[in-house]
Amino acid sequence: MNLYEVSVQSGSALPIFATDFDQAASIFTAWHLGHRETPVPDFEVKQRNPRWPGINTDHLLAALERGLAGVGRYDARIGWSIRSPLDEEYA
């Protein structure tokens, strides 16, 4: 499992946990179609290094070890939660 960051031209980015770039793109597309009423915009998928400065590596490594694919949300107190791209909480 890897952490990806999917960015759109407006500058917003969505953290995605996926096995590869194609799965990350598919999860982003499903998330966008499920929560936005606009066509899927052009986007860029970047793989994040798990040892990237500024990331709590213990939290990230724990999330990666779970092996779950989906949209990520980070809370400094509890770490990463990973949900389905269609989860209403992640709209």
Side-chain angles (χ1 to χ4, degrees), residues 4-77:
Y4 295 90
E5 184 176 83
V6 179
S7 304
V8 295
Q9 191 173 22
S10 69
S12 62
L14 190 67
I16 303 284
F17 286 84
T19 56
D20 56 34
F21 285 92
D22 289 338
Q23 186 181 35
S26 294
I27 290 170
F28 173 76
T29 300
W31 174 85
H32 186 87
L33 292 173
H35 300 291
R36 303 291 185 259
E37 294 182 7
T38 61
V40 176
D42 290 340
F43 60 90
E44 178 180 33
V45 179
K46 296 184 241 177
Q47 185 173 354
R48 296 294 306 262
N49 181 331
R51 302 207 190 301
W52 195 275
I55 291 180
N56 180 316
T57 55
D58 291 337
H59 283 168
L60 180 55
L61 292 174
L64 294 172
E65 286 175 5
R66 283 185 265 163
L68 300 173
V71 177
R73 182 172 289 167
Y74 184 71
D75 180 316
R77 294 171 291 139

